[in-house]
């Protein structure tokens, strides 16, 4: 399998996600982090959209990153001029190529070719490299796609993007399309796959098998509607299935968290690679086998992306899992003691999973023994949050809940609007959580109380 370049378009396609708008500083930080993770190309935005979009692109271009920086442009001289003034490496010029889209623009196929060629030549005249995008190519007439792409290459485009703009392709058709295009066109081919049917990762892999030399992705799969190919499963699949290195896989979880924070779009727990549960085992049979040999229930080791395997302790757990967890806490119990712990767990089906402290407490009760362990003491605090009077408190509460270290959030009445329960390992982590709460739009002030001791109602029985 050949080398594949990754173009990240979180800042362009990703900002087209409903509800998402990044600040200029956030964009610059995202671009730096993408560069550190060795992304090859960064599509920084479409400068004709607004002044702040153009300004962010200029700032990113002035960072002199290793990654090639691109700006998006319609096939219009005025859009290309906006790209030229951003000082980027490459213009990404697009025009719709389906019959319907041409009609809506009141253009004949020949007029669209002329518009593309003029825009490309204009960009080339100003020293820019050019990628040409035949928008909605997968639903357009193949002969016309080849014709407009050949004209684009002749005008100076050395990359062509073939987007599946509405995500309606299947992997089989994608592979065939890209192998036909690699035969008929003399340029590097980019695949840009939307996820409307859930095939964005599979279609991108198939495009690569057909001959694509670059794939467009976003962090967490952000983008219009259902988004596009998420980098996390795509890059891992390239490594695991084809042994091809793309970006630095160990940086993906952090990038995902950063984008969860800046986009406000939460990552579901069952999301591959970066979801909370992606490396957790729960069923008794699964846990026992994984503890014996991880490969029994893992396609690849979590360490590949810098994460750790988790064994969930719940009513589904068997002896092996409970024994293993207690052992890791430095506690060895006899068979009968383990039985007592296990049956105590099974008697509380309402508890979805046990944290170490809860498991220990339960084990102490079940065995009647005092268990001495070395678990790092957690720091807990209650943070009271006041919101601006015109903001929707629930939206702020939800954003607080996504911050790592926040365990629980409740809306309250009185002087403050929200109470957040925080649990972290260190004071510096505590400061980080507080900082993350304070920067949320709509938060006016916070008041933090460190928890010294807790009492449960059961303790008094
Ligand atoms: C758009 C369309 C686009 C372009 C992709 C590309 C698509 O939002 O303007 O330039 O490679 O999906 O067709 O994102
Ligand atoms: Cu798109």
């Amino acid at each position: 399998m050949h080398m594949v370049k990754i173009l990240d378009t979180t800042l362009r396609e990703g900002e087209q996600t409903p509800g998402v708008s990044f600040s200029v500083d956030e964009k610059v930080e995202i671009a730096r982090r993408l560069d550190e993770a060795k992304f090859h190309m960064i599509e920084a935005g479409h400068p004709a959209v607004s002044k702040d979009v153009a300004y962010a692109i200029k700032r990113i271009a002035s960072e002199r990153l290793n990654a090639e920086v691109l700006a998006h442009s319609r096939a219009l001289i005025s859009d290309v001029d906006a790209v030229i003034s951003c000082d980027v490496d490459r213009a990404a010029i697009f025009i719709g190529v389906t019959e319907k889209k041409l009609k809506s623009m009141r253009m004949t196929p020949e007029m669209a070719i002329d518009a593309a060629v003029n825009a490309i030549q204009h960009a080339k005249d100003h020293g820019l490299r050019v990628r040409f995008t035949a928008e909605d190519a997968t639903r357009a007439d193949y002969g016309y796609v080849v014709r407009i792409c050949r004209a684009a290459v002749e005008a100076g485009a050395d990359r062509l993007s073939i987007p599946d703009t509405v995500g309606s392709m299947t992997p089989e058709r994608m592979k065939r399309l890209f192998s036909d295009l690699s035969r008929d066109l003399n340029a590097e081919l980019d695949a840009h796959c939307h996820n409307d049917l859930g095939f964005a990762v599979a279609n991108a892999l198939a495009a690569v098998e057909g001959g694509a030399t670059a794939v467009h992705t976003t962090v967490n799969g952000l983008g219009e509607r259902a988004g596009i190919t998420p980098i996390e499963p795509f890059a891992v699949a390239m490594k695991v299935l084809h042994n091809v290195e793309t970006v630095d896989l160990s940086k993906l979880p952090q990038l995902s968290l950063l984008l969860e924070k800046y986009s406000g779009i939460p990552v579901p727990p069952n999301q591959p690679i970066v979801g909370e549960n992606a490396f957790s085992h729960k069923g008794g049979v699964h846990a026992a086998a994984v503890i014996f040999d991880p490969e029994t229930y893992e396609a690849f080791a979590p360490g590949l992306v810098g994460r750790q395997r988790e064994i969930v302790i719940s009513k589904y757990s068997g002896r092996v899992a409970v024994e293993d967890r207690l052992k890791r806490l430095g506690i060895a119990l006899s068979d009968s003691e383990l039985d007592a712990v296990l049956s105590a767990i099974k008697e509380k089906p309402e508890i979805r999973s046990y944290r170490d402290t809860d498991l220990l407490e339960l084990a102490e009760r079940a065995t009647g023994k005092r268990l001495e362990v070395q678990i790092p003491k957690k720091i807990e605090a209650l943070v009271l949050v006041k919101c601006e009077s015109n903001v929707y408190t629930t939206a702020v509460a939800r954003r607080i809940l996504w911050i790592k270290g926040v365990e629980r959030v409740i809306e309250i009445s009185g002087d403050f609007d929200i109470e957040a329960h925080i649990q972290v390992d260190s004071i510096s982590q505590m400061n980080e959580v507080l900082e993350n709460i304070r920067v949320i739009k709509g938060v006016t002030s916070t008041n933090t109380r460190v928890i010294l001791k807790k009492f449960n109602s059961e303790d008094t029985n």
Side-chain angles (χ1 to χ4, degrees):
M1 175 67 64
H2 53 272
M3 258 271 303
V4 176
K5 290 189 174 168
I6 303 291
L7 176 143
D8 177 275
T9 181
T10 305
L11 300 178
R12 199 278 298 168
E13 176 84 51
E15 205 182 35
Q16 288 176 229
T17 309
V20 173
S21 173
F22 304 119
S23 72
V24 172
D25 286 342
E26 286 168 351
K27 284 186 176 176
V28 173
E29 186 186 346
I30 292 166
R32 283 187 193 145
R33 300 274 290 270
L34 291 167
D35 196 48
E36 276 164 26
K38 305 213 153 51
F39 282 75
H40 308 92
M41 296 179 264
I42 296 174
E43 193 165 83
H46 186 155
V49 165
S50 67
K51 270 194 201 135
D52 80 294
V53 169
Y55 178 60
I57 299 169
K58 269 184 219 169
R59 285 267 311 272
I60 292 166
S62 72
E63 291 275 309
R64 300 280 158 236
L65 304 172
N66 287 319
E68 180 181 75
V69 176
L70 300 85
H72 223 218
S73 166
R74 287 169 295 179
L76 292 174
I77 298 299
S78 55
D79 267 31
V80 176
D81 281 336
V83 172
I84 293 167
S85 60
C86 288
D87 204 19
V88 289
D89 303 307
R90 183 185 288 271
I93 297 170
F94 70 97
I95 195 162
V97 294
T98 61
E99 225 175 282
K100 283 199 173 92
K101 189 69 198 280
L102 288 170
K103 270 202 191 122
S104 83
M105 297 185 293
R106 295 176 207 288
M107 277 184 162
T108 63
E110 294 316 312
M111 282 158 77
I113 293 179
D114 285 347
V117 165
N118 288 338
I120 293 167
Q121 279 171 348
H122 188 61
K124 290 296 290 180
D125 287 346
H126 288 81
L128 286 166
R129 293 195 275 266
V130 175
R131 178 188 91 216
F132 172 67
T133 297
E135 189 192 27
D136 216 354
T138 58
R139 292 196 301 172
D141 174 67
Y142 181 80
Y144 182 61
V145 171
V146 169
R147 210 143 59 80
I148 195 166
C149 284
R150 281 190 182 150
V153 172
E154 219 164 283
D158 63 346
R159 302 200 78 90
L160 299 167
S161 171
I162 305 299
D164 184 25
T165 302
V166 300
S168 57
M169 286 293 268
T170 63
E172 289 80 2
R173 287 170 56 212
M174 202 67 169
K175 182 171 174 181
R176 200 171 337 120
L177 175 64
F178 272 81
S179 61
D180 290 348
L181 289 169
S182 335
R183 180 196 60 211
D184 293 338
L185 296 170
N186 188 20
E188 303 279 332
L189 297 181
D190 293 18
H192 177 108
C193 307
H194 276 264
N195 204 29
D196 299 68
L197 291 172
F199 289 153
V201 174
N203 283 341
L205 280 167
V208 168
E209 284 169 21
T213 53
V215 165
H216 296 190
T217 63
T218 54
V219 177
N220 296 340
L222 295 170
E224 289 274 354
R225 308 182 307 281
I228 67 163
T229 308
I231 181 60
E232 307 84 17
F234 179 75
V236 172
M238 285 301 292
K239 174 70 188 163
V240 171
L241 304 177
H242 298 304
N243 200 25
V244 171
E245 314 277 345
T246 52
V247 297
D248 182 347
L249 302 181
S250 69
K251 297 257 181 356
L252 296 176
Q254 288 301 322
L255 262 175
S256 168
L257 272 175
L258 184 77
L259 263 299
E260 190 174 30
K261 179 166 135 193
Y262 289 164
S263 69
I265 308 283
V267 170
N270 58 341
Q271 183 93 344
I273 320 297
V274 288
E276 168 117 32
N277 298 348
F279 301 103
S280 296
H281 303 276
K282 178 170 169 186
V285 173
H286 288 235
V290 159
I291 289 166
F292 176 73
D293 178 353
E295 276 188 23
T296 51
Y297 283 101
E298 281 175 3
F300 55 92
L304 182 65
V305 293
R307 290 193 59 183
Q308 283 183 344
R309 174 175 312 115
E310 307 271 348
I311 309 284
V312 177
I313 302 293
S314 73
K315 69 175 180 200
Y316 274 87
S317 300
R319 283 181 83 84
V320 179
V322 175
E323 190 178 14
D324 178 75
R325 172 75 78 87
L326 288 170
K327 248 192 210 149
R328 277 196 272 157
L329 295 170
I331 295 171
L333 296 184
S334 70
D335 282 356
S336 62
E337 286 169 338
L338 260 179
D339 285 340
V341 174
L342 204 55
S343 55
I345 290 172
K346 308 239 177 216
E347 270 161 30
K348 293 193 168 187
E350 71 280 6
I351 299 200
R352 294 180 190 172
S353 81
Y354 285 83
R355 292 180 303 176
D356 290 343
T357 42
D358 301 328
L359 179 64
L360 280 169
E361 202 181 305
L362 176 134
E364 288 194 331
R365 282 190 201 185
T367 60
K369 265 168 76 172
R370 173 108 189 86
L371 302 172
E372 288 298 333
V373 279
Q374 302 300 323
I375 22 175
K377 197 105 182 82
K378 296 262 182 188
I379 303 172
E380 292 186 53
L382 294 176
V383 184
L384 299 166
V385 181
K386 205 182 226 151
C387 300
E388 279 166 25
S389 55
N390 60 344
V391 307
Y392 178 42
T393 312
T394 304
V396 176
R398 251 191 234 129
R399 289 189 81 139
I400 293 176
L401 192 57
W402 299 331
I403 296 170
K404 202 172 164 223
V406 174
E407 295 277 305
R408 207 157 54 101
V409 176
I410 42 186
E411 285 182 40
I412 52 177
S413 66
D415 291 348
F416 288 88
D417 304 300
I418 295 168
E419 183 188 282
H421 185 168
I422 298 183
Q423 199 181 56
V424 289
D425 293 321
S426 66
I427 291 288
S428 70
Q429 278 179 16
M430 174 77 77
N431 278 328
E432 202 173 306
V433 174
L434 292 174
E435 211 28 62
N436 286 335
I437 292 177
R438 287 192 197 111
V439 298
I440 293 174
K441 277 192 204 105
V443 169
T444 52
S445 68
T446 61
N447 187 322
T448 305
R449 284 122 204 252
V450 173
I451 295 173
L452 302 176
K453 197 162 183 176
K454 282 204 293 191
F455 301 91
N456 294 322
S457 58
E458 281 174 45
D459 294 341
T460 55
N461 291 341

